[in-house]
Amino acid sequence: DLKAKYNGYIVGDTRLYNPWSVMSCLEGKNVLNYWAGTGTVENIIEALRKDFSILSKLASVWKGESTIPIEIERLAAYPGSEDSVLGSLFWAVLLQTGYLSLSEPFDGKSSIVDLKIANLEMKEAVRQILEGVGSGSRSCVQ
């Protein structure tokens, strides 16, 4: 189902499909994971290996147990800023690269938004990232 696989991004109050994946799907006539194959995830995996708290939060979101509440201002974190130390940079990167999306349209009334895994394509990509972090008893995807 194209909607479950590629939809789930929110910009303002508009829900969007991942255009790259939809175009690739139409061209190849197969519903596959296209977006995750366009870049490397080594930096994401390394960040997760260094911070078990962030790893645990991402695993919880992947399992559907929670979302990531974050202040809008913290999504503007950049390398070297105080927020990057607190993990805000990590969540901002996952949002900007399409792994995460807003769980609901932003109404402008709250200073906090909830982030979730954008769609099934990204859920599979996050599973692969979590598996890349490690294996055995500390695996988050068992």
Side-chain angles (χ1 to χ4, degrees):
D1 174 51
L2 291 178
K3 184 175 183 178
K5 189 74 165 179
Y6 303 130
N7 193 11
Y9 299 99
I10 298 176
V11 178
D13 61 355
T14 304
R15 294 185 184 268
L16 302 173
Y17 287 76
N18 178 325
W20 175 264
S21 294
V22 170
M23 290 172 37
S24 298
C25 175
L26 293 173
E27 181 179 319
K29 297 184 174 125
N30 287 309
V31 180
L32 301 172
N33 296 334
Y34 295 101
W35 182 248
T38 63
T40 181
V41 296
E42 289 306 312
N43 289 338
I44 295 171
I45 290 172
E46 282 305 310
L48 291 170
R49 284 182 178 150
K50 292 177 183 176
D51 191 327
F52 188 76
S53 172
I54 292 176
L55 173 62
S56 178
K57 287 179 188 175
L58 184 59
S60 178
V61 171
W62 177 79
K63 292 175 184 177
E65 297 171 348
S66 67
T67 57
I68 301 294
I70 190 164
E71 292 180 40
I72 292 288
E73 293 173 0
R74 295 197 184 265
L75 289 175
Y78 55 90
S81 72
E82 181 180 323
D83 287 334
S84 68
V85 175
L86 302 174
S88 297
L89 177 62
F90 181 80
W91 303 121
V93 167
L94 290 189
L95 177 66
Q96 293 167 5
T97 55
Y99 290 97
L100 299 178
S101 180
L102 301 179
S103 62
E104 296 293 329
F106 179 61
D107 62 11
K109 296 176 184 173
S110 174
S111 63
I112 297 177
V113 294
D114 288 321
L115 303 179
K116 66 175 184 74
I117 294 177
N119 52 43
L120 290 179
E121 179 182 28
M122 292 299 100
K123 185 167 183 163
E124 174 63 20
V126 170
R127 181 188 63 77
Q128 292 174 353
I129 288 170
L130 293 172
E131 287 178 345
V133 171
S135 60
S137 62
R138 291 191 63 133
S139 176
C140 296
V141 293
Q142 295 177 347

